[in-house]
Amino acid sequence: MSELIVSPTVSFYIGGLVQWGFLMAFLYSLAHSINKPNKERVYLSLVMSASYSFSIFTNMDTVTYLDFLFSDILTLLVIIFLRRLWHNGITYLYIITGLAINSALHFFMHYDIYILNNTNYWWLWNAYAIGINAVDFIMVAIFFINKDFLCLMKLKNGLITSLKRTVGG
């Protein structure tokens, strides 16, 4: 994929670091929840680790943004389908939000490069390169931190309360 902002070699190493992070998150979550009934983080980290491990078989020279988009959407659908296994905690919210942001960024890059045929570098490309990597690292970090450090849960609860007031009265 010659139009990637980050070179395929650097992309490979960043991807490897993220894969390793999700594997470590799985092992940490597994060890941390041995005698606990709530296995939400174990299941989520297993799904994320498996999903990101498939990129080991991806040829970074031929992959497109659409391939990344489909991968993220498939992972998102699997997590939503398996939702009954967890309790909609902080980790679930961060992973769903992170995958949605990554999907949107992949879609915008695909649209910009393949549909609009844009070859001129502009701010979206920077936002993509920084955004994808930042979101991936945040998704890995939430398994270890397990705190609402971006206040997503507060935002979600505030939106739900606001919607209930608007719809209810």
Side-chain angles (χ1 to χ4, degrees):
M1 179 195 260
S2 59
E3 77 278 351
L4 276 177
I5 303 306
V6 180
S7 75
T9 305
V10 173
S11 244
F12 175 76
Y13 289 119
I14 291 173
L17 184 61
V18 171
Q19 288 169 10
W20 177 81
F22 280 123
L23 178 61
M24 291 300 108
F26 169 67
L27 295 174
Y28 173 78
S29 299
L30 185 64
H32 192 263
S33 71
I34 292 281
N35 292 323
K36 296 180 182 173
N38 184 358
K39 305 286 189 210
E40 170 188 8
R41 291 176 27 204
V42 175
Y43 298 134
L44 281 170
S45 59
L46 177 62
V47 169
M48 294 302 292
S49 182
S51 171
Y52 275 67
S53 292
F54 282 120
S55 64
I56 292 171
F57 307 108
T58 302
N59 183 351
M60 291 305 287
D61 293 324
T62 60
V63 71
T64 66
Y65 294 106
L66 207 53
D67 296 330
F68 291 135
L69 173 65
F70 290 144
S71 174
D72 281 349
I73 288 174
L74 179 63
T75 305
L76 196 56
L77 291 174
V78 166
I79 289 172
I80 290 170
F81 177 74
L82 297 174
R83 185 176 174 187
R84 61 183 159 73
L85 298 175
W86 38 77
H87 309 287
N88 294 333
I90 292 169
T91 308
Y92 175 79
L93 179 64
Y94 273 72
I95 295 299
I96 292 295
T97 304
L99 287 171
I101 291 170
N102 278 357
S103 296
L105 287 171
H106 293 313
F107 173 75
F108 291 143
M109 286 299 289
H110 172 77
Y111 186 78
D112 186 49
I113 292 173
Y114 293 105
I115 307 298
L116 298 178
N117 293 320
N118 185 15
T119 56
N120 297 325
Y121 185 85
W122 64 301
W123 69 265
L124 174 66
W125 295 12
N126 251 353
Y128 174 82
I130 294 168
I132 289 292
N133 293 315
V135 168
D136 283 347
F137 286 117
I138 288 170
M139 287 191 297
V140 168
I142 194 62
F143 288 105
F144 299 101
I145 298 170
N146 199 30
K147 300 278 187 234
D148 191 14
F149 61 94
L150 296 178
C151 299
L152 290 182
M153 193 63 86
K154 289 179 185 176
L155 179 65
K156 177 190 136 195
N157 292 337
L159 285 173
I160 289 172
T161 304
S162 174
L163 284 173
K164 283 181 181 178
R165 271 190 261 148
T166 303
V167 174

